[in-house]
């Protein structure tokens, strides 16, 4: 059995994926790095709402940022984040196909 602390950390990580806005932000960042206003525009949300969710994603080390002048560009922290999203999407697609049969 896995170390109890690792299991707790894993559960906390999956909680972060439990918000559809955060998932939408992560999928938006799969294609390219973006600043807050670009993410907000792409998702039809306010900069404030995006900033709040990005803070959670940064704390969980799912996104990273880099200063560019007076703004910050956000990107997925590493390829594992995109892998998690894609595996989840594949899993759901398979389940939907099986339910349709």
């Amino acid at each position: 059995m896995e170390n109890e602390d690792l299991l707790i950390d894993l559960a906390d990580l999956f909680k972060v994926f439990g918000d559809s806005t955060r998932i939408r932000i992560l999928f938006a960042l799969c294609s390219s790095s973006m600043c807050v206003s670009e993410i907000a525009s792409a998702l039809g949300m306010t900069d404030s709402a995006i900033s709040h969710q990005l803070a959670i994603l940064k704390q969980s080390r799912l996104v990273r940022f880099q200063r560019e002048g007076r703004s910050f560009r956000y990107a997925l922290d590493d390829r594992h984040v995109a892998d998690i999203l894609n595996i989840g999407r594949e899993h759901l697609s398979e389940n939907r196909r099986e339910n349709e049969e």
Side-chain angles (χ1 to χ4, degrees), residues 41-59:
S41 177
L43 301 184
M45 299 178 70
T46 65
D47 288 7
S48 176
I50 296 300
S51 292
H52 173 74
Q53 298 302 332
L54 283 169
I56 295 167
L57 293 168
K58 282 190 310 189
Q59 182 180 9

Side-chain angles (χ1 to χ4, degrees), residues 5-89:
D5 290 338
L6 179 62
L7 295 175
I8 291 168
D9 290 345
L10 184 59
D12 289 341
L13 175 67
F14 282 121
K15 286 178 189 175
V16 175
F17 285 101
D19 181 271
S20 63
T21 297
R22 289 192 288 267
I23 296 292
R24 292 173 65 211
I25 291 169
L26 291 172
F27 271 115
L29 293 174
C30 281
S31 58
S32 67
S33 65
M34 300 174 145
C35 66
V36 171
S37 61
E38 291 170 327
I39 299 168
S41 177
L43 301 184
M45 299 178 70
T46 65
D47 288 7
S48 176
I50 296 300
S51 292
H52 173 74
Q53 298 302 332
L54 283 169
I56 295 167
L57 293 168
K58 282 190 310 189
Q59 182 180 9
S60 299
R61 294 182 33 205
L62 295 172
V63 299
R64 59 182 161 76
F65 64 94
Q66 182 175 355
R67 180 181 283 276
E68 282 192 3
R70 295 185 343 186
S71 65
F72 295 95
R73 292 201 67 79
Y74 292 85
L76 298 182
D77 190 64
D78 61 33
R79 67 176 174 78
H80 296 110
V81 179
D83 291 346
I84 292 168
L85 292 170
N86 289 324
I87 289 168
R89 182 172 41 194

